[in-house]
Amino acid sequence: MGMAQSGKPITSPVPEAWYPTLAFFMLTIGLLLTAAFFIYEATSSKKNKIITKELITGAVTSIFLGFGSLFLLLATGVYV
């Protein structure tokens, strides 16, 4: 049995100084897309709604809000 190999520490691919900026912009985009989604749902009639548009908007919004929340937690020192 040989000695254990020393690995290099795990680091973030994104510099820590960018966390607050990324959180702000991703959450802003996510909230704007959420507002657009609600406006679309409230103003279009049942027969004019397109399910693919709703699914794509929901998925993109979810990605932006998810990563925005992650970067917000990282910016505040909660390492997840």
Side-chain angles (χ1 to χ4, degrees), residues 5 7-10 16 20 25 36 48-49 51 56 61 68 76 78:
Q5 294 179 350
K8 60 182 199 176
I10 298 173
E16 287 188 32
F25 284 115
N48 290 338
K49 291 184 182 179
I51 189 70
I56 290 171
T61 301
T76 58
V78 179

Side-chain angles (χ1 to χ4, degrees), residues 9-27:
I10 298 173
T11 58
S12 172
V14 178
E16 287 188 32
W18 292 6
Y19 290 170
T21 305
L22 284 172
F24 174 77
F25 284 115
M26 288 189 165
L27 288 172

Side-chain angles (χ1 to χ4, degrees), residues 19-20 23 27 65-80:
Y19 290 170
L27 288 172
L65 289 176
F67 278 109
S69 300
L70 172 71
F71 283 116
L72 180 64
L73 288 170
L74 291 174
T76 58
V78 179
Y79 292 103
V80 291

Side-chain angles (χ1 to χ4, degrees), residues 5-69:
Q5 294 179 350
S6 61
K8 60 182 199 176
I10 298 173
T11 58
S12 172
V14 178
E16 287 188 32
W18 292 6
Y19 290 170
T21 305
L22 284 172
F24 174 77
F25 284 115
M26 288 189 165
L27 288 172
T28 301
I29 292 169
L31 291 173
L32 289 173
L33 287 172
T34 302
F37 180 78
F38 282 129
I39 291 170
Y40 173 76
E41 288 295 319
T43 59
S44 53
S45 65
K46 205 174 234 186
K47 62 181 178 181
N48 290 338
K49 291 184 182 179
I50 304 167
I51 189 70
T52 53
K53 181 178 180 178
E54 294 178 22
L55 290 173
I56 290 171
T57 305
V60 172
T61 301
S62 175
I63 290 169
F64 274 105
L65 289 176
F67 278 109
S69 300

